[in-house]
Amino acid sequence: MQDRGEILLHRLRGIVGDAGVLSDTAEMAAYGTDWRDMFHGRPLCVVCPATTGEVAQAVAACATLGEGIVPQGGNTGLAGGATPDDSGTQVIISLDRMNAIRRIDPIGMTVEVEAGAILQTVKDAVADKNRLLPISLAAEGSAQIGGLIATNAGGVDVLRYGMTRALVLGLEVVLPDGQILRHLRHLRKDNAGYDLKQLFIGSEGSLGIVTAAVLRLVPQVRHRATAMIAVPNISAAIRLYERAQTEMGEALSAFELISGAGLDLVAEHMGRSAPIQGADWCLLIEAGSSLSGLREACETLLETAFNEGWATDGVLAESEAQADALWALRESLTEAEAKAGGAIKHDISVPITAIDGFLRDAGDMLADIAPQARLNVFGHLGDGNLHYNVMNVTEGDAGRVNAGVHDVITRHSGSISAEHGLGQYRVSEWARLTDPVERALSRQLKDTLDVHGVMNPGKVVPIMREAHD
Amino acid sequence: MQDRGEILLHRLRGIVGDAGVLSDTAEMAAYGTDWRDMFHGRPLCVVCPATTGEVAQAVAACATLGEGIVPQGGNTGLAGGATPDDSGTQVIISLDRMNAIRRIDPIGMTVEVEAGAILQTVKDAVADKNRLLPISLAAEGSAQIGGLIATNAGGVDVLRYGMTRALVLGLEVVLPDGQILRHLRHLRKDNAGYDLKQLFIGSEGSLGIVTAAVLRLVPQVRHRATAMIAVPNISAAIRLYERAQTEMGEALSAFELISGAGLDLVAEHMGRSAPIQGADWCLLIEAGSSLSGLREACETLLETAFNEGWATDGVLAESEAQADALWALRESLTEAEAKAGGAIKHDISVPITAIDGFLRDAGDMLADIAPQARLNVFGHLGDGNLHYNVMNVTEGDAGRVNAGVHDVITRHSGSISAEHGLGQYRVSEWARLTDPVERALSRQLKDTLDVHGVMNPGKVVPIMREAHD
């Protein structure tokens, strides 16, 4: 093993130069662990190619020797998808150096970027041309385009613009054997043959490495409306959601749910207090449009909500600063939770009309197996996507709580990962809960594209073949 | 061969009953030919299953005997994807009888339907709940949901809502070995594992048969604006498009290009005259919104267009009837063209900024090889998708014209099929013009999922393995 590692290091240095290969333990530390310090690995080395050709050569070198490759972008994932195992043999391929914004077309509304470009940087560049790249998430200052595509990232704008998949028009991918699939088309419509890029979006680097992409842009909005509303219960929140769709339609971009307990955590640990106090549940609603008439629609919605008893309190932001302050509450939830001792996190989705039932059943399950647990539930109600985070649970109970929540989700026809992906964190739960036909077809796809099993091994699909395959 | 056919007929009758298998030549005629009467096949029989289980059994029966299966929906395709070969051995599986609308969820904004449901029927059903299924195309009165998914259908609303792919949340698919992949989730967000449904969307029945789907709905719009505008040239049209995106943003749903020659055809052969005469190019623009302020934005746009010299004439519809009359002009183009003697059709897309260059180069090419040709160019300018139809070409020149247009498209980084798919019509052109890595990966995918090559053979990927594979 030692010898093979030395041979590989030598070859990789030949491809990207000595400076492009990190093999010192201290230098590699930031790459071997995720940002939350939950997943820990020990790579053989970290390779930093500067071109697609170098990525291809590095992949081919690893594949020839049968060594595992772990693609890594901004390392902001939440499921350990970019963290290597602890064998000391896997090679991290970092896209850090491939960060060019190759071309912005404000008329065709596309941008072509390399995988290592940081989301915020790309958003700023297209904003200069009056265009928006509509992916909005807390990690946008360090998340990279390649990683966002590989995980099909979500965020707070999905309600309006869809997941990252909906924005990918073209991809360049290095395949597990080192060949390059070049499909960097700036086309909104292309039905010529199988849409191969779909294979790689959301496959978390287990089928190939995204090296560049063409993304779809949208016009910047001119008017913005942001409101925080207290609701008496989840049913009322859902009625309000339905009405908001009717009143604001395509202008509605976020419909977030926050619990009163969550706002208390933010007040206690982050020193930010909400303009609304004492409610069990609050909504944070945002809409944007090129058309005037947005504010009027938002006021009509609020009026209806009060008249119908769907809202008990509410505030409509009067300035950008007020709107930003409301969003700061939402964005402080995760940090407040961490300061309060952390939580067992779930990233679930169910049909919107099943949210109430899911919360009731999951609550009953917790009362049974972890009666001391406290909840911090928030998320994207309009997408049926909740972060159902369970606090005050002992490490010993964590597995049971996790499985319990996933069982309830499955009964409500939901997903155990709405937007964070499986990574290494949820692979075994996926295998436990997924239909055998779907599992077998996923396995088949992995084995076809990654014949030698070198591409991000153990992520998305389990390493071992299953007995029935 | 005769014997194997008899055995298969016997088995298929055992699965769906005698009435569910058509084998009489006259009864099969409508299924063996496409609606334009361009592709002609001779099936062994037409099977009409009533349930997913029956589809699965029928597929398994064909696969066991190694006979080709041709899935067929409303038979409205434009590339021969649903027409069998002329061997007399292939089995058409028609989804006609599986047409239930299983469930409409107006709050979660989803609809679950069987593959044989007709688009217009589903649109009407969800409209009753104030929701819209945003797929709009000429054939919507007979096109079926399964076929729309299998071809990733486009249409006039793609600019705003994306292709059919963007609306598919869940799928049920019978695989080429008769197994059933069940993934009928009503979820907007689901990142748990590979998104296997993407494989089947747009694969034209060559990897499996879609039997049911969950589709995303959107709110109905409350306000509508429709305008027809004469522009001096394509550059002006593109500047107007850019400004329309800025003024109307998400409300802009169609931005269609029609040539003056096309409007003349419609006047001559359909007796419909346009409110604008004598222009080389016209635009048909449609926008819709839940918000007030739409008409104002549209008027601002028109005013700017006249001031900037991007428009030379224009009309903004004052009523639904006027708007429908403008659309009737657009929708008569194909029939008028047919009455004028037909055309060699192309369904191409290029980056919007390349449209001008493409038209110039394609015109030069035609002047060279078919100087007597006349053009009927129209399409979805906002998507870069043109139907570049060449009239008055002899049958002998058709192949050269076709290849010539495709060569020019390829030089402009475009696609030879923006929305109609490859079917059997464009398979050889795809093979000629596509990068070898993409071709090989497509082949690999086909061979992995359809091991015995029974699923819609010869569609999308060529039948014979290529030498280099």
Side-chain angles (χ1 to χ4, degrees), chain A residues 5 47 65-66 91 137 154 183 193 197 201 253 255 275 329 370 380 401 446:
Chain A
V47 184
L65 290 166
V91 174
L137 32 78
H183 200 94
K197 65 178 180 291
I201 302 168
S253 61
F255 200 95
L329 295 166
H380 319 294
V401 167
K446 170 73 174 170

PDB file of all heavy atoms in Angstrom, chain A residues 5 47 65-66 91 137 154 183 193 197 201 253 255 275 329 370 380 401 446:
ATOM      1  N   GLY A   5       0.991   4.121  -2.894  1.00  0.00           N
ATOM      2  CA  GLY A   5       0.796   5.523  -2.534  1.00  0.00           C
ATOM      3  C   GLY A   5       1.940   6.387  -3.043  1.00  0.00           C
ATOM      4  O   GLY A   5       1.719   7.463  -3.601  1.00  0.00           O
ATOM      5  N   VAL A  47      -4.984  16.986  -4.296  1.00  0.00           N
ATOM      6  CA  VAL A  47      -4.492  17.448  -5.599  1.00  0.00           C
ATOM      7  C   VAL A  47      -5.308  18.664  -6.025  1.00  0.00           C
ATOM      8  O   VAL A  47      -6.528  18.654  -5.920  1.00  0.00           O
ATOM      9  CB  VAL A  47      -4.651  16.337  -6.664  1.00  0.00           C
ATOM     10  CG1 VAL A  47      -4.047  16.787  -7.979  1.00  0.00           C
ATOM     11  CG2 VAL A  47      -4.006  15.059  -6.187  1.00  0.00           C
ATOM     12  N   LEU A  65      -4.388   2.901 -10.750  1.00  0.00           N
ATOM     13  CA  LEU A  65      -3.893   2.224  -9.553  1.00  0.00           C
ATOM     14  C   LEU A  65      -5.024   1.766  -8.631  1.00  0.00           C
ATOM     15  O   LEU A  65      -4.780   1.211  -7.555  1.00  0.00           O
ATOM     16  CB  LEU A  65      -2.935   3.148  -8.797  1.00  0.00           C
ATOM     17  CG  LEU A  65      -1.588   3.377  -9.512  1.00  0.00           C
ATOM     18  CD1 LEU A  65      -0.830   4.536  -8.900  1.00  0.00           C
ATOM     19  CD2 LEU A  65      -0.743   2.102  -9.472  1.00  0.00           C
ATOM     20  N   GLY A  66      -6.272   2.039  -9.051  1.00  0.00           N
ATOM     21  CA  GLY A  66      -7.419   1.581  -8.253  1.00  0.00           C
ATOM     22  C   GLY A  66      -7.612   2.333  -6.948  1.00  0.00           C
ATOM     23  O   GLY A  66      -8.223   1.812  -6.012  1.00  0.00           O
ATOM     24  N   VAL A  91      -7.511   9.974  -2.580  1.00  0.00           N
ATOM     25  CA  VAL A  91      -6.982  11.233  -3.105  1.00  0.00           C
ATOM     26  C   VAL A  91      -8.109  12.260  -3.200  1.00  0.00           C
ATOM     27  O   VAL A  91      -9.107  12.020  -3.885  1.00  0.00           O
ATOM     28  CB  VAL A  91      -6.360  11.011  -4.499  1.00  0.00           C
ATOM     29  CG1 VAL A  91      -5.944  12.344  -5.129  1.00  0.00           C
ATOM     30  CG2 VAL A  91      -5.178  10.055  -4.397  1.00  0.00           C
ATOM     31  N   LEU A 137     -28.281  30.392  -0.327  1.00  0.00           N
ATOM     32  CA  LEU A 137     -28.146  29.558   0.869  1.00  0.00           C
ATOM     33  C   LEU A 137     -27.076  30.150   1.780  1.00  0.00           C
ATOM     34  O   LEU A 137     -26.278  31.011   1.359  1.00  0.00           O
ATOM     35  CB  LEU A 137     -27.852  28.093   0.513  1.00  0.00           C
ATOM     36  CG  LEU A 137     -27.046  27.773  -0.746  1.00  0.00           C
ATOM     37  CD1 LEU A 137     -25.585  28.000  -0.502  1.00  0.00           C
ATOM     38  CD2 LEU A 137     -27.287  26.337  -1.169  1.00  0.00           C
ATOM     39  N   GLY A 154     -30.247  23.074  -2.673  1.00  0.00           N
ATOM     40  CA  GLY A 154     -31.544  23.736  -2.541  1.00  0.00           C
ATOM     41  C   GLY A 154     -31.355  25.160  -2.067  1.00  0.00           C
ATOM     42  O   GLY A 154     -30.636  25.934  -2.679  1.00  0.00           O
ATOM     43  N   HIS A 183     -20.036  19.115 -22.656  1.00  0.00           N
ATOM     44  CA  HIS A 183     -21.390  19.466 -23.100  1.00  0.00           C
ATOM     45  C   HIS A 183     -21.730  20.837 -22.523  1.00  0.00           C
ATOM     46  O   HIS A 183     -22.687  21.001 -21.789  1.00  0.00           O
ATOM     47  CB  HIS A 183     -22.376  18.391 -22.620  1.00  0.00           C
ATOM     48  CG  HIS A 183     -23.664  18.395 -23.392  1.00  0.00           C
ATOM     49  ND1 HIS A 183     -23.902  17.599 -24.477  1.00  0.00           N
ATOM     50  CD2 HIS A 183     -24.777  19.132 -23.260  1.00  0.00           C
ATOM     51  CE1 HIS A 183     -25.104  17.840 -24.961  1.00  0.00           C
ATOM     52  NE2 HIS A 183     -25.660  18.767 -24.236  1.00  0.00           N
ATOM     53  N   GLY A 193     -30.891  13.514 -28.045  1.00  0.00           N
ATOM     54  CA  GLY A 193     -30.284  12.374 -27.343  1.00  0.00           C
ATOM     55  C   GLY A 193     -30.522  12.426 -25.855  1.00  0.00           C
ATOM     56  O   GLY A 193     -31.167  13.334 -25.336  1.00  0.00           O
ATOM     57  N   LYS A 197     -26.190  15.039 -18.820  1.00  0.00           N
ATOM     58  CA  LYS A 197     -25.779  15.860 -17.670  1.00  0.00           C
ATOM     59  C   LYS A 197     -26.621  15.566 -16.436  1.00  0.00           C
ATOM     60  O   LYS A 197     -26.141  15.693 -15.308  1.00  0.00           O
ATOM     61  CB  LYS A 197     -25.808  17.351 -18.008  1.00  0.00           C
ATOM     62  CG  LYS A 197     -27.175  17.928 -18.306  1.00  0.00           C
ATOM     63  CD  LYS A 197     -27.054  19.438 -18.576  1.00  0.00           C
ATOM     64  CE  LYS A 197     -28.400  20.068 -18.883  1.00  0.00           C
ATOM     65  NZ  LYS A 197     -28.960  19.634 -20.192  1.00  0.00           N
ATOM     66  N   ILE A 201     -25.731  15.590 -12.037  1.00  0.00           N
ATOM     67  CA  ILE A 201     -26.319  16.562 -11.108  1.00  0.00           C
ATOM     68  C   ILE A 201     -26.914  15.786  -9.932  1.00  0.00           C
ATOM     69  O   ILE A 201     -27.719  14.878 -10.120  1.00  0.00           O
ATOM     70  CB  ILE A 201     -27.424  17.388 -11.809  1.00  0.00           C
ATOM     71  CG1 ILE A 201     -26.865  18.109 -13.028  1.00  0.00           C
ATOM     72  CG2 ILE A 201     -28.054  18.364 -10.827  1.00  0.00           C
ATOM     73  CD1 ILE A 201     -27.921  18.712 -13.945  1.00  0.00           C
ATOM     74  N   SER A 253     -41.266  33.907  -3.584  1.00  0.00           N
ATOM     75  CA  SER A 253     -39.978  33.198  -3.695  1.00  0.00           C
ATOM     76  C   SER A 253     -39.598  32.432  -2.443  1.00  0.00           C
ATOM     77  O   SER A 253     -38.809  31.499  -2.514  1.00  0.00           O
ATOM     78  CB  SER A 253     -38.861  34.175  -4.081  1.00  0.00           C
ATOM     79  OG  SER A 253     -38.717  35.174  -3.110  1.00  0.00           O
ATOM     80  N   PHE A 255     -41.241  30.855   1.460  1.00  0.00           N
ATOM     81  CA  PHE A 255     -42.341  30.708   2.406  1.00  0.00           C
ATOM     82  C   PHE A 255     -41.806  29.815   3.522  1.00  0.00           C
ATOM     83  O   PHE A 255     -41.947  28.606   3.510  1.00  0.00           O
ATOM     84  CB  PHE A 255     -43.558  30.080   1.712  1.00  0.00           C
ATOM     85  CG  PHE A 255     -44.854  30.319   2.447  1.00  0.00           C
ATOM     86  CD1 PHE A 255     -45.675  31.388   2.108  1.00  0.00           C
ATOM     87  CD2 PHE A 255     -45.248  29.490   3.494  1.00  0.00           C
ATOM     88  CE1 PHE A 255     -46.869  31.612   2.786  1.00  0.00           C
ATOM     89  CE2 PHE A 255     -46.432  29.723   4.175  1.00  0.00           C
ATOM     90  CZ  PHE A 255     -47.255  30.777   3.823  1.00  0.00           C
ATOM     91  N   PRO A 275     -39.658  40.612  16.048  1.00  0.00           N
ATOM     92  CA  PRO A 275     -40.714  41.603  16.248  1.00  0.00           C
ATOM     93  C   PRO A 275     -42.022  40.947  16.700  1.00  0.00           C
ATOM     94  O   PRO A 275     -42.962  41.641  17.069  1.00  0.00           O
ATOM     95  CB  PRO A 275     -40.878  42.243  14.870  1.00  0.00           C
ATOM     96  CG  PRO A 275     -40.355  41.235  13.910  1.00  0.00           C
ATOM     97  CD  PRO A 275     -39.296  40.470  14.626  1.00  0.00           C
ATOM     98  N   LEU A 329     -32.915  36.706  11.439  1.00  0.00           N
ATOM     99  CA  LEU A 329     -33.486  35.781  12.434  1.00  0.00           C
ATOM    100  C   LEU A 329     -33.486  34.359  11.883  1.00  0.00           C
ATOM    101  O   LEU A 329     -33.057  33.413  12.540  1.00  0.00           O
ATOM    102  CB  LEU A 329     -34.924  36.201  12.776  1.00  0.00           C
ATOM    103  CG  LEU A 329     -35.096  37.551  13.484  1.00  0.00           C
ATOM    104  CD1 LEU A 329     -36.553  37.992  13.440  1.00  0.00           C
ATOM    105  CD2 LEU A 329     -34.605  37.446  14.930  1.00  0.00           C
ATOM    106  N   ALA A 370     -37.645   9.353  23.393  1.00  0.00           N
ATOM    107  CA  ALA A 370     -36.720  10.374  23.926  1.00  0.00           C
ATOM    108  C   ALA A 370     -37.545  11.508  24.535  1.00  0.00           C
ATOM    109  O   ALA A 370     -37.563  12.626  23.998  1.00  0.00           O
ATOM    110  CB  ALA A 370     -35.792  10.877  22.821  1.00  0.00           C
ATOM    111  N   HIS A 380     -38.473  25.122   4.803  1.00  0.00           N
ATOM    112  CA  HIS A 380     -39.082  25.698   3.618  1.00  0.00           C
ATOM    113  C   HIS A 380     -40.480  25.103   3.450  1.00  0.00           C
ATOM    114  O   HIS A 380     -40.665  24.144   2.716  1.00  0.00           O
ATOM    115  CB  HIS A 380     -38.189  25.401   2.421  1.00  0.00           C
ATOM    116  CG  HIS A 380     -36.709  25.557   2.726  1.00  0.00           C
ATOM    117  ND1 HIS A 380     -36.141  26.779   3.023  1.00  0.00           N
ATOM    118  CD2 HIS A 380     -35.708  24.654   2.832  1.00  0.00           C
ATOM    119  CE1 HIS A 380     -34.841  26.622   3.259  1.00  0.00           C
ATOM    120  NE2 HIS A 380     -34.557  25.335   3.161  1.00  0.00           N
ATOM    121  N   VAL A 401     -33.415   7.817  17.420  1.00  0.00           N
ATOM    122  CA  VAL A 401     -34.185   9.009  17.058  1.00  0.00           C
ATOM    123  C   VAL A 401     -34.158   9.196  15.540  1.00  0.00           C
ATOM    124  O   VAL A 401     -35.185   9.407  14.893  1.00  0.00           O
ATOM    125  CB  VAL A 401     -33.630  10.266  17.768  1.00  0.00           C
ATOM    126  CG1 VAL A 401     -34.213  11.542  17.158  1.00  0.00           C
ATOM    127  CG2 VAL A 401     -33.936  10.207  19.262  1.00  0.00           C
ATOM    128  N   LYS A 446     -24.156   3.059 -10.970  1.00  0.00           N
ATOM    129  CA  LYS A 446     -22.836   3.282 -10.371  1.00  0.00           C
ATOM    130  C   LYS A 446     -21.809   2.310 -10.980  1.00  0.00           C
ATOM    131  O   LYS A 446     -20.728   2.722 -11.411  1.00  0.00           O
ATOM    132  CB  LYS A 446     -22.937   3.079  -8.856  1.00  0.00           C
ATOM    133  CG  LYS A 446     -21.615   3.027  -8.103  1.00  0.00           C
ATOM    134  CD  LYS A 446     -20.948   4.387  -7.992  1.00  0.00           C
ATOM    135  CE  LYS A 446     -19.704   4.316  -7.101  1.00  0.00           C
ATOM    136  NZ  LYS A 446     -18.919   5.551  -7.161  1.00  0.00           N
TER     137      LYS A 446
END
